[in-house]
Amino acid sequence: QVPLVESGGGLVQAGGSLRLSCAASGLTFSRYTMGWFRQAPGKEREFVAAYRWTGGDTLYTDSVKGRFTISRDNAKNTVYLQMNNVKPEDTAVYYCAARQLGRLATMTNDYNFWGQGTQVTVSS
């Protein structure tokens, strides 16, 4: 099992910003497409953003386009999710996921490894 450890979650007011981090260990990080997902209470886990392992391609779900930015630092084995202008509907547990040598993907089954999640709560 490849450990992925998320951090940076917390309580933020609507309109504010938060940056999530996900540190990976025990893998060749540069060869993994990295994704962020989220799961709100009573809802299924949903795709948020992904960063392809090569080429710098990114993908976002429509509801976060223009507000969230995914980035990665291969030297630090870390992927980030910068969340700006957050809304109460962004409240969820956020998970990072890794997909070896994979294309950009939005389904949970496309990813091989998962972190334990970090809670983000947006107050109105």
Side-chain angles (χ1 to χ4, degrees), residues 11-106:
L11 175 65
V12 60
Q13 287 188 332
S17 297
L18 209 59
R19 189 176 82 155
L20 306 182
S21 301
C22 173
S25 61
L27 55 76
T28 306
F29 182 76
S30 62
R31 296 171 70 82
Y32 282 80
T33 288
M34 299 300 296
W36 284 98
F37 288 73
R38 65 188 179 186
Q39 188 167 15
K43 295 187 177 181
E44 293 187 353
R45 193 169 299 188
E46 65 173 0
F47 170 78
V48 176
Y51 198 121
R52 196 175 178 207
W53 70 279
T54 185
D57 298 333
T58 58
L59 181 67
Y60 298 90
T61 192
D62 286 346
S63 63
V64 308
K65 284 180 181 178
R67 301 189 298 121
F68 292 8
T69 302
I70 187 172
S71 62
R72 64 190 294 163
D73 185 338
N74 287 346
K76 296 182 178 179
N77 285 3
T78 301
V79 62
Y80 304 96
L81 185 68
Q82 177 67 43
M83 306 168 61
N84 295 332
N85 189 24
V86 295
K87 303 176 180 180
E89 51 264 43
D90 294 322
T91 295
V93 177
Y94 282 72
Y95 299 89
C96 74
R99 171 180 163 86
Q100 189 175 16
L101 297 177
R103 59 176 173 78
L104 294 171
T106 63

